[in-house]
Amino acid sequence: MALLDILVYPDPRLRTKAEPVEEVDGALQRLIDDMAETMYAAPGIGLAATQVNVHRRLLVMDTSETKSGLQVFINPVLAGSGDLVESDEGCLSVPGEIVPVYRYPNIKVSALDREGRPFEQDVSGLEAICLQHEVDHLDGKVFVDYLSQLKRDRIRKRLAREDRPVHPRSTPSTKVSAVS
């Protein structure tokens, strides 16, 4: 397994819309393993392939306290329900920022698992928020897009000043309700 570089906002590659995964093969299995290792090392609770400059509809997530509940979602499709709720989110691609975002508290996800088998799952709470955040990445959207232009510009300027390295081990950790 290998640690992957995480793209940092405002890198334009974060705006690339991911293409569907056509085949679940050995190369995809290695990518899943590398993404999981990168997510855990960062540390984060979710990582979309777009964040590591692979523009395929794939994400990994582990919201467990023990980091023993890795979930893989290939070609995820979400359907939200309930009134939108505000949650504070962070992002491995936007280090050091915690921003309020409105998300559905409950979602139904349809996807393929690690072996390429289709499944459906109802999720709520942190898992629902994290999945929506990661699917935004697959759609070329970053959570700062929910902010005003003034706030986005402030974040962009701060990150440019800091000239952060993109290696996940150099990304600071922050405990928030959702980090991808």
Side-chain angles (χ1 to χ4, degrees):
M1 292 193 294
L3 290 177
L4 305 170
D5 289 338
I6 297 173
L7 300 177
V8 176
Y9 177 82
D11 191 308
R13 295 172 291 181
L14 288 168
R15 301 300 183 180
T16 305
K17 187 168 180 167
E19 296 293 324
V21 171
E22 299 295 330
E23 181 181 359
V24 177
D25 57 11
L28 188 73
Q29 297 297 324
R30 284 186 297 282
L31 176 60
I32 290 167
D33 292 339
D34 291 346
M35 286 177 59
E37 183 178 8
T38 301
M39 176 188 70
Y40 289 129
I45 61 170
L47 187 67
T50 300
Q51 292 177 273
V52 294
N53 200 30
V54 176
H55 303 287
R56 299 174 75 190
R57 296 193 71 78
L58 165 67
L59 67 92
V60 295
M61 180 176 85
D62 186 346
T63 59
S64 71
E65 291 291 324
T66 59
K67 301 302 175 201
S68 60
L70 181 66
Q71 297 178 71
V72 175
F73 299 85
I74 301 169
N75 298 333
V77 176
L78 306 182
S81 64
D83 294 329
L84 294 175
V85 296
E86 184 180 83
S87 67
D88 289 332
E89 294 183 22
C91 182
L92 296 175
S93 291
V94 189
E97 292 294 328
I98 309 296
V99 301
V101 178
Y102 286 90
R103 304 276 189 195
Y104 288 106
N106 306 296
I107 59 170
K108 178 182 285 284
V109 58
S110 301
L112 301 177
D113 69 11
R114 180 186 179 100
E115 285 75 38
R117 296 180 300 243
F119 72 95
E120 285 189 355
Q121 184 176 344
D122 292 317
V123 296
S124 60
L126 182 57
E127 283 185 319
I129 291 165
C130 187
L131 271 172
Q132 290 168 87
H133 180 110
E134 299 309 331
V135 169
D136 272 357
H137 279 299
L138 299 178
D139 293 336
K141 191 170 187 175
V142 181
F143 79 144
V144 296
D145 294 345
Y146 293 99
L147 301 174
S148 70
Q149 183 65 46
L150 178 67
K151 289 180 182 177
R152 282 194 307 270
D153 289 344
R154 179 186 55 81
I155 292 168
R156 183 181 302 113
K157 287 176 186 173
R158 181 189 61 79
L159 291 173
R161 260 192 330 268
E162 292 177 2
D163 193 30
R164 278 187 196 272
V166 295
H167 199 278
R169 287 181 284 197
S170 64
T171 303
S173 67
T174 305
K175 184 167 176 77
V176 296
S177 60
V179 176
S180 73

